[in-house]
Amino acid sequence: MQNRQQVRISTKNLAGGKIEYTVQASKDSALRVISSEKLSMESLGYIVQQHLRKNHRGRFPKRMNETIEIPSFRFIE
């Protein structure tokens, strides 16, 4: 059985066509993902899950305010 944590997700359009996804687990714990492309909820969940596994033992810490920026993968032909 997997442990699940309820989070709140909000989006904001930034300058330059970037999108900021805020994943908030509590009042003091949030992770921001900035992407130049629109992400599905599955992709966003995977990115957040991998970051938490690698850096925070798989769970949101009590206090966290971090930002992850995802580069664009578009290639010019």
Side-chain angles (χ1 to χ4, degrees):
M1 185 173 144
Q2 291 181 342
N3 291 332
R4 300 215 175 232
Q5 189 169 13
Q6 205 165 30
V7 296
R8 179 177 294 146
I9 300 171
S10 60
T11 60
K12 185 191 324 182
N13 293 324
L14 300 176
K18 294 188 177 188
I19 304 169
E20 178 185 89
Y21 298 91
T22 302
V23 181
Q24 190 160 5
S26 69
K27 185 178 78 170
D28 296 327
S29 185
L31 178 65
R32 287 168 187 75
V33 178
I34 298 175
S35 173
S36 56
E37 318 241 342
K38 189 172 183 179
L39 298 174
S40 67
M41 286 300 119
E42 290 83 12
S43 298
L44 180 63
Y46 181 78
I47 292 165
V48 170
Q49 183 182 42
Q50 292 303 312
H51 175 78
L52 292 176
R53 277 186 185 167
K54 183 178 178 185
N55 300 306
H56 303 288
R57 298 184 193 169
R59 298 199 41 91
F60 272 94
K62 288 185 179 182
R63 292 184 185 265
M64 178 176 74
N65 188 8
E66 296 181 12
T67 302
I68 301 172
E69 186 152 356
I70 310 236
S72 175
F73 294 107
R74 293 187 183 179
F75 297 103
I76 300 171
E77 293 181 14

